[in-house]
Amino acid sequence: LFRRSGDETQFEWLKGALNKGEKIFLEPEKTTEDSKIASNCSISDPHLVAQLLKAFFRELSEPIFPYNIYPELVSLSKNLQSSVESWILGIKTLLWRVPVQNYETLKYLFAFLHKVQGKSNKNMMSSHNLAIIWGPNLLRPPIQVIFLFFFFPPYRS
């Protein structure tokens, strides 16, 4: 579901309309004259909607998981295999440091992704595949970490 992109022209048009606050109907049968939807715009394409959702999170000025918890999240992910219980406790602790609006958004996103994963036999979106696709959209290193990684080899470990 999240691996394919929709039509690029439609994507840019819908993204622009959403950024202007225009009403968008995702089901063609609900389209009305005042919905501001072009008649040739197939907004029932799930790949287009998925692309819009990923782009929203990817283009935030600061990721939904803030930069200040990035090192601890990465450290926790490296220790996942040793103790799931300590990993869960660590995640819960870090979530207290996420701004409330981010936390509330993450609750809805993860509830949605859980439903997507529940149909992985049809959509091929296992929790592993979702993590690969969504990780970079939700968590990014601060620019300083990227700089150190590329220009100072000792930091690559």
Side-chain angles (χ1 to χ4, degrees):
L1 175 65
F2 292 102
R3 292 183 225 180
R4 286 184 40 206
S5 296
D7 178 76
E8 192 61 30
T9 303
Q10 292 177 351
F11 170 75
E12 290 299 329
W13 186 88
L14 281 171
K15 184 177 162 188
L18 286 170
N19 286 336
K20 292 177 196 169
E22 296 178 7
K23 291 181 182 180
I24 303 295
F25 292 96
L26 299 179
E27 299 162 323
E29 62 270 14
K30 291 187 179 178
T31 302
T32 62
E33 285 296 318
D34 64 345
S35 68
K36 299 185 175 31
I37 298 296
S39 59
N40 63 351
C41 185
S42 172
I43 53 168
S44 60
D45 178 6
H47 301 288
L48 182 59
V49 177
Q51 183 182 3
L52 284 165
L53 187 59
K54 286 190 314 184
F56 170 79
F57 285 99
R58 184 178 52 252
E59 294 172 8
L60 291 172
S61 58
E62 182 169 0
I64 197 87
F65 285 108
Y67 292 128
N68 66 331
I69 65 171
Y70 176 84
E72 292 159 278
L73 275 172
V74 170
S75 178
L76 275 173
S77 70
K78 290 179 182 177
N79 299 325
L80 176 59
Q81 300 302 326
S82 61
S83 170
V84 173
E85 292 82 17
S86 65
W87 180 83
I88 291 171
L89 180 62
I91 291 293
K92 287 181 177 180
T93 303
L94 283 178
L95 285 174
W96 282 103
R97 294 178 36 210
V98 172
V100 174
Q101 62 273 23
N102 293 30
Y103 178 78
E104 292 298 321
T105 303
L106 285 166
K107 279 192 333 189
Y108 285 103
L109 177 65
F110 288 153
F112 168 69
L113 293 177
H114 181 71
K115 288 180 181 180
V116 169
Q117 184 274 326
K119 297 182 185 288
S120 63
N121 59 332
K122 292 181 181 178
N123 62 29
M124 309 298 270
M125 288 287 99
S126 65
S127 55
H128 176 57
N129 289 340
L130 287 169
I132 289 170
I133 290 167
W134 278 94
N137 295 303
L138 303 176
L139 177 67
R140 296 186 305 270
I143 193 70
Q144 300 91 329
V145 172
I146 295 170
F147 179 80
L148 289 173
F149 180 82
F150 284 111
F151 296 106
F152 297 100
Y155 289 98
R156 291 185 184 179
S157 60

